[in-house]
Amino acid sequence: VQLQASGGGLVQPGGSLRLSCSASGRYLDYSTIGWFRQAPGKEREAVSARYRSSTRTFYSNSVKGRFTISRGNADNTFFLQMNNLKPEDSAVYYCAASRYSLITSSWAQRGQYDYWGQGTLVTVSS
């Protein structure tokens, strides 16, 4: 599975961005899509995840109520809508895919994901 993330950019505090993640490959054997982010000098952290084929979603406390993960009309396209952005949201954002349907205790663990895309940079600054 190859993952392609896009949609990053520069936005002012309070603004919005929508990130996209497209999955491709001969065998699309994944069940969970996740978004992670990594700011300079910090560990990569989980932001959100959802099941490929259902509406089950997960969010970190830092983004709950501001970010929304969704699936596009095309089966293998996913979005992360980010509203009310804050400077602390600035990071490189990565999409990842797991072969398993992750659960509350596992969705935020990097090691649970089998495939990773390249990152897209989000900068929130005035």
Side-chain angles (χ1 to χ4, degrees):
V1 177
Q2 290 82 50
L3 301 171
Q4 179 78 32
S6 61
L10 173 64
V11 63
Q12 292 186 341
S16 299
L17 276 177
R18 189 176 79 160
L19 305 183
S20 300
C21 177
S22 295
S24 62
R26 185 173 182 180
Y27 301 108
L28 297 174
D29 60 337
Y30 68 96
S31 295
T32 302
I33 282 286
W35 285 97
F36 287 73
R37 66 186 182 186
Q38 187 167 19
K42 294 189 176 182
E43 293 286 321
R44 191 171 298 188
E45 64 173 354
V47 174
S48 181
R50 67 159 283 153
Y51 289 167
R52 177 182 180 182
S53 302
S54 81
T55 57
R56 182 75 171 96
T57 57
F58 305 91
Y59 295 97
S60 68
N61 288 336
S62 62
V63 306
K64 197 173 295 183
R66 299 188 297 123
F67 290 12
T68 303
I69 190 170
S70 64
R71 192 182 76 180
N73 291 329
D75 182 43
N76 294 302
T77 300
F78 299 86
F79 302 105
L80 184 69
Q81 178 67 42
M82 306 186 296
N83 297 329
N84 190 21
L85 283 160
K86 305 175 181 180
E88 51 264 41
D89 295 317
S90 297
V92 177
Y93 283 71
Y94 300 88
C95 63
S98 172
R99 287 176 289 177
Y100 305 101
S101 296
L102 302 179
I103 58 177
T104 301
S105 61
S106 63
W107 77 270
Q109 298 174 13
R110 291 166 52 184
Q112 297 291 335
Y113 292 82
D114 305 287
Y115 312 103
W116 290 83
Q118 92 298 348
T120 185
L121 178 63
V122 172
T123 303
V124 185
S125 175
S126 56

